[in-house]
Amino acid sequence: MIIGKWRLIIVATLSTIVTTIAVTVAPASVMANPWPFDGWYPDKSTHSWCYHSTAGSTLRSYIPGAMNYLYNSTTIPGIPQHATCDTQNSNQDGDPATDVVWKQGNLNGQFGTAPCFVETASNSTHCDQRQITIGVNNIESSEYPHHQYIKTVCHELGHTAGFDHYAGFASPPAVPPGGVLDCMVSGNVSYADNPAGSWTWQYNSHHLSHANSWWP
């Protein structure tokens, strides 16, 4: 009877260990860099963009370079600029909405946001348009405003292509997906060892692979 009792204790202990390991390991998959960002897939056509009337000249000076970099580093079939912003999908006016609308506004401490504003006419899980708002006042008051503009514009544009962010400057820091720091890291450029580095305007191979597998 004593042997049986100890056997039960050993089995119960092993069961507890296995359960504990399962609970401990599970968050690793949660911490991975998922795609697409916030569950919305970008549409598979060209990635058109426009300036909202709120976008000032300083913000506008940072955008063409970011759009050209996205085009040149991915298989996206085209990134045309629209003179006006179309905010309706093809069910409403016969053609797709402009994919990226650039705005500026007061974000209460944030550098930028990029929520989905219009879903595609054909698929409720695909985003036809994201409207990016850049918190210009917050960037202007940051330690390195020029480099923060570059990083923030790159970061928010990445969301429109489905790229997620990661907490690379947290304590302890999350390892960047792909192991290389890029502009999709969350936070202020001043948190980095090199706030003026090329990482502020680049996407690493992990993020680019998502775009290149999505756009044929």
Side-chain angles (χ1 to χ4, degrees):
M1 294 297 295
I2 293 176
I3 293 174
K5 179 179 180 181
W6 280 109
R7 184 177 296 162
L8 288 173
I9 291 172
I10 291 170
V11 171
T13 302
L14 287 174
S15 177
T16 301
I17 291 172
V18 171
T19 301
T20 302
I21 290 173
V23 171
T24 303
V25 171
S29 62
V30 176
M31 289 301 292
N33 193 246
W35 192 89
F37 168 65
D38 70 9
W40 287 94
Y41 294 88
D43 65 42
K44 287 192 169 185
S45 64
T46 60
H47 211 56
S48 59
W49 61 284
C50 65
Y51 294 123
H52 188 267
S53 60
T54 58
S57 58
T58 299
L59 172 58
R60 293 186 185 212
S61 69
Y62 288 94
I63 293 170
M67 302 305 306
N68 288 335
Y69 170 72
L70 181 65
Y71 175 66
N72 290 325
S73 59
T74 66
T75 55
I76 295 175
I79 302 188
Q81 180 182 359
H82 288 176
T84 58
C85 298
D86 183 346
T87 59
Q88 297 181 316
N89 66 25
S90 56
N91 273 353
Q92 297 170 295
D93 65 358
D95 60 350
T98 309
D99 294 285
V100 184
V101 176
W102 290 96
K103 306 167 70 174
Q104 73 179 58
N106 184 355
L107 295 180
N108 192 28
Q110 292 180 277
F111 289 134
T113 60
C116 182
F117 191 77
V118 180
E119 67 181 47
T120 64
S122 60
N123 194 319
S124 62
T125 67
H126 290 197
C127 186
D128 203 6
Q129 178 181 101
R130 285 187 184 268
Q131 295 199 357
I132 296 176
T133 302
I134 302 297
V136 169
N137 290 345
N138 301 322
I139 292 177
E140 295 286 358
S141 61
S142 65
E143 188 174 0
Y144 301 101
H146 172 61
H147 301 295
Q148 191 63 57
Y149 266 118
I150 293 171
K151 188 263 186 185
T152 301
V153 165
C154 177
H155 181 100
E156 301 304 334
L157 178 59
H159 286 323
T160 73
F163 307 159
D164 205 347
H165 41 221
Y166 56 97
F169 298 138
S171 182
V175 176
V180 178
L181 186 70
D182 71 351
C183 72
M184 294 313 299
V185 66
S186 296
N188 197 308
V189 296
S190 64
Y191 300 158
D193 293 334
N194 182 8
S198 60
W199 67 271
T200 59
W201 56 268
Q202 293 180 341
Y203 306 116
N204 64 30
S205 60
H206 174 90
H207 288 121
L208 292 175
S209 68
H210 284 310
N212 293 336
S213 62
W214 182 249
W215 278 277

